[in-house]
Amino acid sequence: MAIKKRDTRKPILSGVLLLLTVGLLLAVETGTTPYTPPDQVRFNNPPFKGREMTLGEQLAVWKAIDSISTPPPDSIRWTDAAGSTKTVSCDSFADLLSEQMNSGRMETDVSGGGKDHGRSGVNHLSDGKATDKDQMNVDSSLLSWAAASDDSLVYLEETLIHEATHKGQKVSEMTTDEEEIEALEAELAYKDSCGLDLTNWYYLEKFCLLFGHMLHHTITKPFGGSLLHYSMNGYLGFLRHNPNGDGVDYLVTNGPTGTAVNEYDLNLYGIRHAADMVTFDNHFMLPPDHCLAVTCGGDPLTGTASINLLSIYQGQFMNPVWDYQFGPAQGYDPMFFYCMTSWDPTGKWYVIDSTGHQILIMVDSQQSDGVPDEITGVYASASWPGFEPLLDMKSIQATEHPELGFGIFVSDRDKGETDVVYPYDDFFFLPDTPARSDSADSCVPVKQYEFLSFNPDIQYPLPWDGDEFVHVWGSWESDIQVWTSDSIITTGIEFLGLVHMTDTVDAVCGLSRPLVAGEFIYAYDATLDLNLRLATKVVDPTPTEVTINFDSNDGMLKVYYGNGLKNCHYELWSSDDCIEFYNTGLTSTDGHFEFPLPPQEKQFYQVRAVR
């Protein structure tokens, strides 16, 4: 069913503004042009799940904002995605972030899958055109870390700089990589101004992310992985590739200040290469406050894979606990463990053997410590008919598909290669039968969005007065409803429309009536019972003040319009009879048009807002 948008052009209060100059009759009116939605708009809604900030978290953010506004630095300078140099005062950043906090549009993110941590980001819908509709989320673990010490506050500051940069971006004109490149450049510029450099491992992590976005999906790394980042009882840990291309063989542990506590060459501890790592805070087999770090990897020269257990205490590498070897000497074919994942309901582990291009099943059969120490079978192999995509696998995740059930999500990208979700990207899923045969049934092509669950929302373009549809984001296969409400969504007032997310996470939802400027609307996921805490305000882009002047000195006609939307595009249309108008080709975002005096005896003009 086609969705039409009515012509919402509106004259100014007097209907027509007349000006007689040198025999030329001029008329000006204002309005908006009909807008046709594209077939599919770009995903720009990361899967955030937030909660209100605690008092301690609010104090940490306010302390960071105060520090941002206190020189040095007084401004930062960086290169944006288009290659242009930008300079922004730190006071401007602080003012923007203060407004974000005061309006209640900053919350703590806990989208970490059951653990009390999440991600930082802006669910930004303004496209650089407004500031009254976006939601900024801050990782709860980062807030805790920043609140623990004034020395670590800079890491919250730089994250806020990053997200504030996103707020001014025009997302309709940028790719996701371009958005992140610009925000990371701004963040690194702030780090530089604070005296941080590549010797700081948190700086290095963001530098690697920047490099990844610059070369999206084209980076080749030996033995897998970009810089892998872990939490160890409040300390940061990084598993890092050797820059000479010899693989991941360094573990760096950082204290709350972010400075390197220790850097360990894992070769000295019998670990030839470590491609992946998981951590267990306060593991029962270690003394109190110790972290158990479990690495997987091996020695490609001998074909021996390994699982290694390490004890970490307050950022200090205490000692290796023990290790397990799997290679020719133990009766196995040559193998190398490239990536590992576990499934808590069964206690089983799944490990990529990159030498054999297969996924192995492992269990804890010796120590009852939750660490895999025995191979029990092959879950899937690239040598099986239909499983050839496993030749390119770099990372795996045990998970549950909403329709296919339990299985292994397979990606051709390394862990940590990018921090951005690309929901329409293609991957593979290896489902198991309900009987849990411990063997994949098939290799099924899937989209990333099939595994995402997030708060629905009204997305760009922002709703205008008179719109009879809105763009919404929502989880795959969910029913997304659109309601009117108050600004903080105390309750839904009027039901306006419904759309089902079939094979998509973005859609155009038709409405039962045209929207009215000043009212608030929000998207509600009726399937998952989810919605944001703040509603979207419907705006009227029509200028309310229009004047026209003729400058006899330069022969230019100047049309001024006021009270339009900030940075909104406006077009100037012309007519000989005030009935049929044509586009002059002139556009403006700064409140005026300027052009030579036309030769016609009489002309009528319209100022139209356009998306």
Side-chain angles (χ1 to χ4, degrees):
M1 176 179 178
I3 300 174
K4 293 185 178 180
K5 183 180 184 301
R6 66 189 177 102
D7 187 350
T8 56
R9 292 174 297 162
K10 303 176 194 174
I12 57 176
L13 293 179
S14 60
V16 177
L17 176 64
L18 301 176
L19 178 65
L20 189 61
T21 304
V22 198
L24 179 67
L25 181 62
L26 301 159
V28 179
E29 63 176 1
T30 63
T32 59
T33 57
Y35 175 71
T36 302
D39 292 335
Q40 176 177 296
V41 286
R42 217 167 49 77
F43 183 91
N44 193 51
N45 190 17
F48 296 126
K49 290 184 179 177
R51 59 167 171 77
E52 291 189 36
M53 286 186 171
T54 65
L55 178 59
E57 291 168 341
Q58 293 180 42
L59 292 175
V61 172
W62 282 116
K63 186 182 292 186
I65 293 174
D66 182 64
S67 180
I68 289 171
S69 66
T70 304
D74 57 1
S75 64
I76 59 173
R77 187 177 185 180
W78 74 93
T79 303
D80 65 17
S84 302
T85 300
K86 281 188 174 181
T87 302
V88 178
S89 73
C90 290
D91 277 340
S92 296
F93 278 117
D95 290 345
L96 185 150
L97 292 164
S98 296
E99 188 275 335
Q100 192 85 20
M101 281 290 286
N102 287 327
S103 64
R105 291 179 290 109
M106 190 182 299
E107 59 184 18
T108 301
D109 194 76
V110 289
S111 58
K115 299 180 180 179
D116 189 26
H117 66 83
R119 62 176 67 205
S120 298
V122 173
N123 180 12
H124 61 305
L125 314 179
S126 64
D127 198 41
K129 295 182 172 67
T131 58
D132 62 346
K133 184 63 189 85
D134 57 19
Q135 181 71 51
M136 185 177 291
N137 285 37
V138 183
D139 182 356
S140 58
S141 61
L142 174 62
L143 286 170
S144 299
W145 189 42
S149 168
D150 288 343
D151 292 332
S152 60
L153 194 64
V154 65
Y155 301 101
L156 177 56
E157 295 170 26
E158 65 194 26
T159 297
L160 294 175
I161 292 288
H162 179 116
E163 305 309 339
T165 302
H166 278 313
K167 282 173 59 64
Q169 292 174 332
K170 296 185 177 180
V171 298
S172 61
E173 301 174 5
M174 305 173 71
T175 66
T176 304
D177 282 321
E178 287 171 340
E179 293 173 38
E180 287 302 316
I181 288 170
E182 185 170 290
L184 285 165
E185 290 277 18
E187 180 179 359
L188 289 170
Y190 186 79
K191 291 172 183 282
D192 291 337
S193 300
C194 294
L196 301 177
D197 55 30
L198 286 171
T199 61
N200 176 278
W201 283 81
Y202 205 54
Y203 184 109
L204 183 58
E205 181 190 32
K206 295 305 179 75
F207 184 83
C208 289
L209 286 176
L210 174 63
F211 184 67
H213 285 292
M214 288 179 169
L215 301 173
H216 178 45
H217 300 170
T218 63
I219 309 172
T220 301
K221 314 183 197 71
F223 306 113
S226 53
L227 188 69
L228 300 178
H229 174 196
Y230 302 89
S231 174
M232 301 175 172
N233 276 347
Y235 290 75
L236 292 179
F238 297 92
L239 197 59
R240 174 69 178 154
H241 279 288
N242 185 304
N244 297 323
D246 296 330
V248 183
D249 56 6
Y250 281 94
L251 174 65
V252 177
T253 54
N254 290 11
T257 62
T259 57
V261 174
N262 273 305
E263 179 175 297
Y264 303 98
D265 181 349
L266 296 180
N267 288 275
L268 301 178
Y269 299 89
I271 303 175
R272 183 67 184 93
H273 293 300
D276 196 7
M277 183 170 74
V278 297
T279 59
F280 300 90
D281 289 347
N282 301 309
H283 195 277
F284 70 89
M285 59 178 283
L286 297 178
D289 298 325
H290 281 62
C291 172
L292 178 67
V294 181
T295 68
C296 73
D299 187 348
L301 297 178
T302 65
T304 301
S306 63
I307 300 287
N308 295 81
L309 285 69
L310 313 172
S311 176
I312 309 292
Y313 177 66
Q314 292 186 351
Q316 305 286 332
F317 183 7
M318 302 305 293
N319 57 273
V321 181
W322 57 68
D323 63 84
Y324 304 102
Q325 306 292 320
F326 307 86
Q330 290 78 31
Y332 296 97
D333 292 333
M335 59 180 63
F336 183 88
F337 291 165
Y338 193 86
C339 179
M340 56 185 172
T341 182
S342 62
W343 184 243
D344 290 341
T346 62
K348 293 178 180 177
W349 289 73
Y350 301 86
V351 182
I352 291 180
D353 167 20
S354 57
T355 301
H357 301 292
Q358 58 187 345
I359 299 175
L360 303 175
I361 304 172
M362 300 188 70
V363 298
D364 170 21
S365 65
Q366 299 182 32
Q367 303 292 335
S368 298
D369 54 9
V371 176
D373 52 38
E374 179 185 353
I375 299 173
T376 61
V378 177
Y379 184 81
S381 171
S383 64
W384 298 356
F387 286 78
E388 293 80 6
L390 299 191
L391 288 169
D392 299 320
M393 64 180 168
K394 297 289 185 64
S395 59
I396 55 175
Q397 179 66 49
T399 186
E400 200 155 24
H401 188 278
E403 294 182 354
L404 301 176
F406 169 79
I408 303 295
F409 179 84
V410 178
S411 173
D412 60 353
R413 302 166 198 171
D414 287 311
K415 274 188 178 180
E417 179 173 317
T418 176
D419 60 338
V420 174
V421 175
Y422 299 89
Y424 288 101
D425 281 0
D426 297 306
F427 298 96
F428 290 92
F429 185 67
L430 313 178
D432 192 3
T433 63
R436 297 290 188 267
S437 65
D438 285 341
S439 177
D441 303 317
S442 57
C443 184
V444 182
V446 292
K447 297 287 189 182
Q448 174 73 72
Y449 63 63
E450 297 176 38
F451 301 87
L452 298 178
S453 174
F454 53 90
N455 290 327
D457 205 359
I458 310 296
Q459 184 55 287
Y460 177 82
L462 292 175
W464 283 2
D465 178 58
D467 282 350
E468 296 181 357
F469 58 84
V470 291
H471 292 265
V472 295
W473 299 117
S475 300
W476 179 58
E477 293 297 334
S478 281
D479 288 323
I480 307 300
Q481 301 175 354
V482 177
W483 289 77
T484 64
S485 71
D486 56 15
S487 63
I488 59 174
I489 313 181
T490 304
T491 184
I493 299 173
E494 179 185 0
F495 174 75
L496 295 180
L498 167 70
V499 63
H500 182 72
M501 293 296 179
T502 303
D503 295 331
T504 186
V505 289
D506 65 73
V508 174
C509 181
L511 306 177
S512 59
R513 63 164 175 81
L515 295 175
V516 178
E519 67 181 343
F520 291 88
I521 62 173
Y522 73 99
Y524 169 66
D525 188 326
T527 304
L528 301 178
D529 189 24
L530 293 173
N531 60 264
L532 289 178
R533 294 191 295 111
L534 298 171
T536 300
K537 187 177 182 179
V538 178
V539 297
D540 185 351
T542 306
T544 57
E545 299 175 1
V546 180
T547 58
I548 188 166
N549 294 317
F550 173 68
D551 190 333
S552 59
N553 293 323
D554 57 12
M556 300 296 283
L557 199 64
K558 300 177 182 180
V559 177
Y560 297 90
Y561 60 92
N563 295 333
L565 293 182
K566 181 181 179 182
N567 293 328
C568 179
H569 286 77
Y570 288 87
E571 295 176 344
L572 186 67
W573 289 59
S574 179
S575 173
D576 296 323
D577 54 14
C578 204
I579 298 174
E580 184 176 353
F581 284 80
Y582 65 89
N583 192 341
T584 65
L586 297 176
T587 62
S588 172
T589 60
D590 61 4
H592 85 288
F593 299 91
E594 184 173 326
F595 51 96
L597 186 70
Q600 294 92 339
E601 179 181 348
K602 181 176 63 175
Q603 282 289 286
F604 300 86
Y605 290 97
Q606 288 180 339
V607 177
R608 297 186 183 186
V610 293
R611 287 189 168 107

